[in-house]
Amino acid sequence: MREFKIYSDKNILKGIHYEANSQNKKNGIILMCHGFAGVQNLFFPKYAEKFSLEGFDVITFDYNGFGESEGETQIIPTNQMRDISNVILYLRKNEDFKDKQLYLWGTSLGGLYVLKLAATLPGISGVYAQITFSDGLRNNTSLLDLEGKEKYLNQLENIRYKEISENKRLLLPLKKLLSDSQSKTFLDRYKEEFSMLLSTKLSLATISDINELSIDSYLDKINVPVLLLKANNDIVNLPQEMDFIYKTLKCNKKLLEYDCGHYDVYENEVFLSSITEQIKWFSKEK
C-alpha cells in the first residue's frame, strides 16, 4: 500500500494505491469509487486486498470533503465525478500506470458515476457497477403514490427555496438523511468504528441533486464490457433500476443477482461470492 495525493478543485484529494502481487501481475488497474457519503477505509480495503493479490493494481480515494481529503463536506454529483476524472487523468499521466488498462468500479451512487464516465470518457476498458440506479427521481419516488410524490417534491422545493432566499442550509446527520430500515441498521452497526461517518452532516437539498441525476440517455452509449450486481431485496436503490440498466445497455454485459439487501453485498457470503465473480470477470477482460 502506498498513499498518494492529487489536487481536485484546489483541494488535496488523498488516495491509496494497493500494489499488484508481483508474482501474478496483470496489465490492469481497478479504480474504486464509493457511494453516498462513503469513505475509502470503509469496506474498500478488503476488496482492494483481494484484487491486488490476484495481480491488479487497485486505486481507492476519498472525494473532496470526505475521509482524508480536503474540502467542504457536501455531495455535489458533478464535483464528485470531476474528482474521479482527475484521478483518471493522474493515472494516465503517471509513468507507473499510463500503459495499463483501466477499469472503473463503482458502488451505489458511485456505480452511476462510473457508468456515466464510461459513456463519456475514452480509454476505459471495462466497468463494474453494483446496487446503483439510473434515474434518481424515479428511484426515490417509484414506491410513492401521486399524492405522496407531490408532497415529497414540494417539501424539497421549500427547503431549496429557504436556501436561496435566506441563505440557510438545513443540515442533517446521515441517520436522518438515510432513514430507511436497511440504512439505519448499517449506520448503527458501524457507529463506533466509523464515528466520523455518523457525525457527517449534509444539506437536505442534497436529495434534490440526487433526484436530478439521470443516466438513462447515456447507457446505450457505453461500448465497453459491463458487469452489474443487483441486490433483489434492496430498498435504498431499487432492483428495478438495475434491471433497467441491464436491459438498456447495448454493450457486452453480465448481471449478478443476490437475494440480499443494499448493504449485505459488502459482507459475509455475498461479498465472498460476488468478489470471486468480479475477479473472474476482470481477469477475463484483461
Side-chain angles (χ1 to χ4, degrees), residues 184-196:
K184 285 181 177 179
T185 300
F186 159 72
L187 291 171
D188 185 63
R189 187 180 306 164
Y190 290 93
K191 64 184 179 183
E192 294 182 4
E193 186 177 358
F194 288 90
S195 57
M196 184 178 69

Side-chain angles (χ1 to χ4, degrees), residues 7-217:
Y7 292 89
S8 187
D9 288 338
K10 298 183 179 180
N11 294 315
I12 292 177
L13 187 152
K14 292 190 176 181
I16 298 173
H17 170 208
Y18 294 78
E19 296 186 40
N21 177 5
S22 59
Q23 297 181 347
N24 191 27
K25 203 163 189 177
K26 297 179 175 64
N27 187 38
I29 312 168
I30 300 174
L31 172 56
M32 301 186 68
C33 306
H34 52 71
F36 189 93
V39 292
Q40 65 177 328
N41 288 329
L42 177 62
F43 298 132
F44 275 20
K46 62 183 182 180
Y47 282 95
E49 287 163 8
K50 285 188 175 293
F51 288 144
S52 61
L53 187 63
E54 291 296 325
F56 293 97
D57 285 290
V58 183
I59 302 294
T60 68
F61 70 98
D62 285 321
Y63 297 121
N64 258 292
F66 290 88
E68 299 298 319
S69 293
E70 293 180 345
E72 185 179 358
T73 303
Q74 57 180 331
I75 296 175
I76 301 177
T78 53
N79 292 359
Q80 294 193 328
M81 281 186 271
R82 186 160 59 248
D83 287 343
I84 300 172
S85 297
N86 288 337
V87 175
I88 291 173
L89 177 60
Y90 167 76
L91 295 174
R92 285 178 172 163
K93 294 294 184 179
N94 189 297
E95 289 295 326
D96 294 332
F97 305 117
K98 67 177 185 178
D99 294 325
K100 292 180 177 286
Q101 291 180 308
L102 177 60
Y103 300 98
L104 302 182
W105 188 108
T107 188
S108 197
L109 180 57
L112 179 147
Y113 291 166
V114 298
L115 287 167
K116 183 173 182 179
L117 290 170
T120 56
L121 291 180
I124 305 301
S125 296
V127 178
Y128 172 80
Q130 65 179 21
I131 52 173
T132 190
F133 58 94
S134 182
D135 185 277
L137 183 60
R138 185 174 61 225
N139 182 65
N140 291 339
T141 62
S142 63
L143 299 181
L144 301 176
D145 59 21
L146 183 59
E147 181 180 355
K149 182 177 179 179
E150 289 178 352
K151 182 179 179 181
Y152 168 80
L153 293 175
N154 187 56
Q155 288 175 334
L156 291 176
E157 188 177 74
N158 288 338
I159 291 166
R160 180 80 78 180
Y161 176 74
K162 201 170 188 66
E163 287 194 354
I164 66 171
S165 63
E166 302 177 25
N167 196 27
K168 291 183 179 180
R169 297 174 64 198
L170 178 58
L171 298 177
L172 295 175
L174 281 185
K175 63 182 179 181
K176 293 290 186 180
L177 275 173
L178 301 175
S179 58
D180 63 275
S181 60
Q182 291 180 3
S183 295
K184 285 181 177 179
T185 300
F186 159 72
L187 291 171
D188 185 63
R189 187 180 306 164
Y190 290 93
K191 64 184 179 183
E192 294 182 4
E193 186 177 358
F194 288 90
S195 57
M196 184 178 69
L197 180 64
L198 268 72
S199 65
T200 299
K201 291 186 177 181
L202 296 168
S203 168
L204 188 55
T206 299
I207 303 301
S208 294
D209 293 333
I210 302 298
N211 286 340
E212 293 170 4
L213 274 179
S214 179
I215 57 168
D216 287 3
S217 62

